[in-house]
């Protein structure tokens, strides 16, 4: 019998898109926010997507790539401050956390969906 009835865990390895910023909403703890790009590569013409660089070298066809951008939020005080101080645009980093789906109202008063990784 497992004690884990559900799990929300994300692991990402990618490059930072811009220097982190720190925001503080009134009455709440500060949060460090940055974007992270991950890349997925595959060869066109293959019926099955390979795993890793070795499969890209061993098959024929053109290489295609898709970049996905992730919004990363860091709330934990020590980690939040270290992230803000040392992480820079272009850094290659590993992020572990959970995925969070939320809503917000933009400056035009339109409700929007937001997906965030809580590191």
């Amino acid at each position: 019998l497992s004690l884990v009835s559900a799990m929300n865990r994300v692991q990402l390895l990618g490059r930072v898109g811009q220097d982190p910023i720190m925001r503080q909403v009134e009455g709440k703890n500060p949060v460090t926010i940055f974007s992270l790009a991950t890349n997925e590569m595959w060869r066109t013409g293959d019926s099955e997507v390979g795993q890793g660089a070795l499969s890209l070298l061993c098959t024929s066809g053109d290489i295609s790539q898709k970049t996905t951008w992730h919004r990363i939020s860091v709330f934990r005080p020590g980690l939040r401050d270290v992230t803000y101080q040392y992480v820079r645009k272009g850094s290659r980093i590993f992020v572990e956390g959970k995925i969070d789906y939320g809503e917000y109202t933009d400056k035009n008063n339109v409700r929007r969906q937001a997906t965030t990784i809580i590191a």
Side-chain angles (χ1 to χ4, degrees), residues 70-86:
H70 310 273
R71 178 185 168 99
I72 313 295
S73 296
V74 188
F75 291 95
R76 188 178 300 163
L79 186 58
R80 171 191 66 216
D81 299 336
V82 167
T83 300
Y84 181 71
Q85 188 173 4
Y86 294 107

Side-chain angles (χ1 to χ4, degrees), residues 8-65:
N8 179 352
R9 184 173 172 184
V10 177
Q11 295 179 323
L12 299 170
L13 177 62
R15 294 220 180 255
V16 177
Q18 89 276 349
D19 289 348
I21 60 169
M22 192 175 291
R23 287 195 182 150
Q24 183 159 7
V25 178
E26 198 173 315
K28 294 188 178 183
N29 289 329
V31 58
T32 295
I33 300 167
F34 63 95
S35 61
L36 185 74
T38 56
N39 293 313
E40 188 177 349
M41 296 174 68
W42 67 93
R43 285 201 178 267
T44 57
D46 288 353
S47 57
E48 192 174 303
V49 175
Q51 294 293 315
L54 183 59
S55 65
L56 291 174
L57 296 173
C58 298
T59 58
S60 61
D62 294 327
I63 296 175
S64 293
Q65 178 174 307

